[in-house]
Amino acid sequence: MPVQLPLNIDSVKGFLAPEEGEALYQYALEASQLGPCLEIGSYCGKSTVYLGVACQQNNSVLYAVDHHRGSEEHQLGEEYHDSDLYDDSIQLMDSFKVFRTTMREARLDDTIVPIVAPSAVASRHWATPLGMVFIDGGHSEEAAQTDFRSWVSFIKPGGILAIHDIFPNPEEGGQAPYNIWKLAKASGLFEELPMVNTLGLFRRR
């Protein structure tokens, strides 16, 4: 049975397939009993809603890390640029206002902790163990590797690592998320779980 969300999720901008969102919800429902959850790459809040509703049910929180200036592919002139999210006054992309509107409409202001900063900066003095980390930030090799190195060590035993946009075939999509998925698989730290569409999943040993 599909998860019941407090808003029409199809109205939220984003690139998350419904079955991926429902998998995030189910794993966050379990993981948020271990500790707070964290996502890297919130954009306009589609994945945040799925994760946040699950955390809310356990009176937990979701840290939503995003600088809200867009990934490489969102910039002016790039393939996934959205003019609705472009601030002409400063000539920069800015998804934070739309993100906050999504959180208000989803009634998640008591659950979501937005961290408006680059992933590496947000992690610099981080000390809180996490029940789940969802990586869906920048898709350059440098960005993906930074997200992996910055946050994976904070996942508690039994917790979940989720990585979006896994494309083993280079003709289907970028390889940076797939490369960190391979790092997780080879690390010995995780038990591999079944993939859901392009969502790679692991459980911390």
Side-chain angles (χ1 to χ4, degrees), residues 1 5-6 12 16 29 36 40 43 48 55 62 66 79 107 109 144 179 183 196 202:
M1 181 178 175
L5 299 174
V12 182
L16 191 74
L29 195 61
I40 304 115
Y43 195 50
T48 321
C55 290
L62 172 69
D66 197 316
E79 183 179 2
R107 301 192 293 276
D109 284 336
N179 288 339
L183 279 179
V196 178
F202 297 90

Side-chain angles (χ1 to χ4, degrees), residues 23-25 27-29 31-32 35-39 51 62 130-134 155-156 159-162 201:
L24 288 176
Y25 169 84
Y27 280 109
L29 195 61
S32 58
C37 300
L38 181 143
E39 74 168 353
L51 293 164
L62 172 69
L130 299 165
M132 179 174 181
V133 168
F134 172 47
I155 303 173
K156 297 176 73 170
I160 298 295
L161 169 63
L201 293 154

Side-chain angles (χ1 to χ4, degrees), residues 56-77:
Q56 192 176 56
Q57 292 190 35
N58 289 319
N59 197 32
S60 187
V61 298
L62 172 69
Y63 298 102
V65 179
D66 197 316
H67 49 57
H68 288 282
R69 294 301 187 198
S71 300
E72 300 81 2
E73 64 269 21
H74 298 141
Q75 303 309 313
L76 191 64

Side-chain angles (χ1 to χ4, degrees), residues 20-153:
E20 295 171 339
E22 293 191 17
L24 288 176
Y25 169 84
Q26 294 296 340
Y27 280 109
L29 195 61
E30 168 196 332
S32 58
Q33 297 180 59
L34 285 175
C37 300
L38 181 143
E39 74 168 353
I40 304 115
S42 304
Y43 195 50
C44 295
K46 180 168 281 191
S47 58
T48 321
V49 171
Y50 283 104
L51 293 164
V53 168
C55 290
Q56 192 176 56
Q57 292 190 35
N58 289 319
N59 197 32
S60 187
V61 298
L62 172 69
Y63 298 102
V65 179
D66 197 316
H67 49 57
H68 288 282
R69 294 301 187 198
S71 300
E72 300 81 2
E73 64 269 21
H74 298 141
Q75 303 309 313
L76 191 64
E78 297 299 325
E79 183 179 2
Y80 291 104
H81 177 72
D82 186 336
S83 59
D84 291 344
L85 302 177
Y86 190 72
D87 187 338
D88 284 314
S89 66
I90 56 173
Q91 296 188 334
L92 288 171
M93 187 262 192
D94 187 354
S95 56
F96 189 50
K97 183 178 180 180
V98 174
F99 172 82
R100 294 205 69 179
T101 298
T102 302
M103 295 307 101
R104 185 178 67 251
E105 291 177 351
R107 301 192 293 276
L108 288 171
D109 284 336
D110 65 346
T111 302
I112 306 303
V113 182
I115 300 177
V116 185
S119 174
V121 175
S123 71
R124 193 173 294 161
H125 295 288
W126 193 267
T128 302
L130 299 165
M132 179 174 181
V133 168
F134 172 47
I135 299 178
D136 192 19
H139 284 16
S140 70
E141 195 65 40
E142 180 182 3
Q145 294 282 343
T146 296
D147 292 340
F148 184 83
R149 289 194 307 268
S150 297
W151 296 104
V152 162
S153 64

